[in-house]
């Protein structure tokens, strides 16, 4: 298995290298090898040379400049990485006749839509540069399916969390702050709701696409199908960590949406996807993992 990443300092490169080392150990235990290539997907010539040498059967495109708030501050970077980078990978994947191209998209493409549950057929209404870039990547993916006959799938992830998660997310920040005797910080009034999806369920959905072609050309929600308010999330983490204080509230951030909730009917029908990890269980797992790994995993606190 080959992994391409540019180790962008969007968050700690040290943390990323630790993640890489741990993933190498996991691969070795299963009798596999992890070939890491330090490369930016916007560098087309070098990327083309490397990927054509590897010639993978399946391309799992997880690379992106993440972060809604970051994209509001710098709208150019996510456009360059998430649109141009995706286009580079699609072109190369088409040329090597990959069996399938799986694109990691985002629930952010829906924006603020007035729906209880988000269905894939809903009209997208992105409200941040990041969301626009992810929707554009989806459209390019669909075009390569139609024009170049490259088997493609878009997976719209709903707020992924779990061990080794991106450090500047609500759950990682709440847990680290509480365990360091600091109040979890909530942006806005905390009444926003989110569909949090445990990493194991995300991985399971991706692995399903190694064994079926029923989803080719499709865009599919991958979420838990349940929602929780940010206030309630903070209270759960406060209780589970034993923190004795209360959350602190800061100004709402531009580009954030008020509500997300996945309808996973299509995922269940096409790839037999059924989320297994409830939010309380997932939080417990992350807290336990954090306690065991806090010497090197240090979210923003």
């Amino acid at each position: 298995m080959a992994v391409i990443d540019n180790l962008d300092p969007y968050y700690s490169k040290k943390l990323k290298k630790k993640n890489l080392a741990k993933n190498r150990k996991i691969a070795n235990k299963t009798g596999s090898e992890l070939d890491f290539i330090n490369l930016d997907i916007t560098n087309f010539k070098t990327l083309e040379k490397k990927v054509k040498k590897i010639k993978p059967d399946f391309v799992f495109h997880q690379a992106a400049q993440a972060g809604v708030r970051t994209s509001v501050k710098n709208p150019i970077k996510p456009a360059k990485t998430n649109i141009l980078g995706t286009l580079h990978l699609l072109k190369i994947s088409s040329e090597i006749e990959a069996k399938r191209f799986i694109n990691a998209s985002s629930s952010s493409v829906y924006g603020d839509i007035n729906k209880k549950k988000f269905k894939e057929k809903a009209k997208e209404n992105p409200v941040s540069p990041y969301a626009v870039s992810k929707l554009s990547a989806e459209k390019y993916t669909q075009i390569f399916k139609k024009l170049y006959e490259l088997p493609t799938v878009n997976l719209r992830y709903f707020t992924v969390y779990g061990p080794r998660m991106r450090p500047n997310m609500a759950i990682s920040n709440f847990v680290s702050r509480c365990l360091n005797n600091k109040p979890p910080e909530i942006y806005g009034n905390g009444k926003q709701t989110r569909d949090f999806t445990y990493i194991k369920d995300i991985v399971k959905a991706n692995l399903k696409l190694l064994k079926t072609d029923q989803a080719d050309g499709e865009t599919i929600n991958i979420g838990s199908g349940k929602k929780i308010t940010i206030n309630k999330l903070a209270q759960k983490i406060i209780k589970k960590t034993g923190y004795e204080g209360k959350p602190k509230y800061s100004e709402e951030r531009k580009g954030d949406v008020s509500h997300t909730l996945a309808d996973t009917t299509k995922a269940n029908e096409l790839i037999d996807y059924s989320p297994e990890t409830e939010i309380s269980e997932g939080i417990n797992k992350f807290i336990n993992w954090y306690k065991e790994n806090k010497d090197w995993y240090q979210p923003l606190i």
Side-chain angles (χ1 to χ4, degrees):
M1 176 175 65
V3 174
I4 294 174
D5 195 291
N6 67 347
L7 297 179
D8 185 280
Y10 171 56
Y11 61 88
S12 168
K13 289 178 71 172
K14 181 180 178 181
L15 192 156
K16 291 184 176 185
K17 289 179 179 179
K18 287 281 188 179
N19 272 335
L20 177 61
K22 286 185 176 290
N23 281 317
R24 278 201 170 114
K25 288 182 180 179
I26 293 170
N28 289 337
K29 285 181 180 179
T30 60
S32 303
E33 289 186 8
L34 194 158
D35 180 18
F36 175 70
I37 302 167
N38 190 346
L39 174 64
D40 195 312
I41 60 172
T42 62
N43 183 339
F44 181 76
K45 289 186 177 179
T46 306
L47 181 68
E48 182 181 39
K49 181 179 178 181
K50 293 288 186 180
V51 175
K52 286 189 173 181
K53 183 178 179 180
I54 301 165
K55 201 173 182 180
D57 289 329
F58 294 87
V59 177
F60 290 87
H61 175 33
Q62 310 288 329
Q65 173 54 58
V68 166
R69 296 161 194 165
T70 299
S71 77
V72 173
K73 294 179 181 178
N74 180 5
I76 295 175
K77 190 174 181 181
K80 182 179 179 182
T81 303
N82 303 349
I83 300 175
L84 184 60
T86 300
L87 185 54
H88 287 169
L89 280 169
L90 283 165
K91 185 176 186 299
I92 297 165
S93 297
S94 175
E95 290 172 354
I96 65 172
E97 297 182 342
K99 292 181 180 178
R100 189 161 299 116
F101 182 97
I102 299 96
N103 176 48
S105 188
S106 165
S107 62
S108 67
V109 302
Y110 290 109
D112 272 317
I113 61 174
N114 188 23
K115 301 288 183 183
K116 290 183 177 180
K117 279 197 170 186
F118 295 5
K119 294 186 178 182
E120 291 88 350
K121 64 181 180 180
K123 182 176 176 59
E124 303 94 348
N125 183 34
V127 295
S128 69
Y130 169 74
V132 171
S133 72
K134 296 302 282 184
L135 183 57
S136 298
E138 281 191 9
K139 299 301 183 184
Y140 269 113
T141 301
Q142 292 165 352
I143 287 295
F144 268 76
K145 165 65 177 173
K146 293 178 182 178
L147 297 184
Y148 303 96
E149 299 181 352
L150 174 67
T152 64
V153 183
N154 287 310
L155 298 181
R156 286 178 177 168
Y157 299 161
F158 282 67
T159 316
V160 186
Y161 75 102
R164 300 194 300 277
M165 69 185 290
R166 208 170 85 221
N168 56 346
M169 302 284 283
I171 289 177
S172 52
N173 272 328
F174 289 2
V175 169
S176 65
R177 290 180 72 88
C178 286
L179 289 176
N180 284 278
N181 201 33
K182 293 186 177 183
E185 185 174 7
I186 295 174
Y187 300 112
N189 59 18
K191 294 181 180 179
Q192 310 96 310
T193 64
R194 290 290 181 272
D195 182 333
F196 288 96
T197 316
Y198 194 67
I199 183 60
K200 185 177 179 180
D201 291 322
I202 297 290
V203 171
K204 181 174 65 174
N206 278 272
L207 293 178
K208 293 275 188 181
L209 294 169
L210 292 171
K211 301 177 181 179
T212 180
D213 59 3
Q214 289 192 65
D216 284 350
E218 299 285 351
T219 297
I220 307 170
N221 289 337
I222 304 297
S224 73
K226 296 182 180 180
K227 64 180 179 179
I228 185 173
T229 66
I230 301 302
N231 281 329
K232 190 172 181 179
L233 174 72
Q235 290 302 327
K236 277 182 176 288
I237 291 174
I238 286 172
K239 184 177 180 180
K240 290 177 183 296
T241 57
Y243 176 66
E244 295 181 354
K246 296 181 179 180
K248 76 171 185 177
Y249 291 83
S250 299
E251 185 179 353
E252 185 176 0
R253 298 299 181 92
K254 291 181 179 180
D256 282 348
V257 298
S258 58
H259 167 70
T260 66
L261 181 59
D263 184 317
T264 59
T265 303
K266 188 174 181 180
N268 180 260
E269 291 174 349
L270 293 179
I271 60 173
D272 193 29
Y273 170 79
S274 181
E276 296 177 358
T277 308
E278 297 280 348
I279 185 67
S280 292
E281 180 188 357
I283 290 172
N284 282 337
K285 288 182 176 181
F286 181 72
I287 290 173
N288 291 335
W289 179 87
Y290 176 84
K291 289 178 178 178
E292 293 175 359
N293 295 275
K294 62 182 179 181
D295 59 323
W296 65 272
Y297 179 78
Q298 299 175 344
L300 307 176
I301 60 172

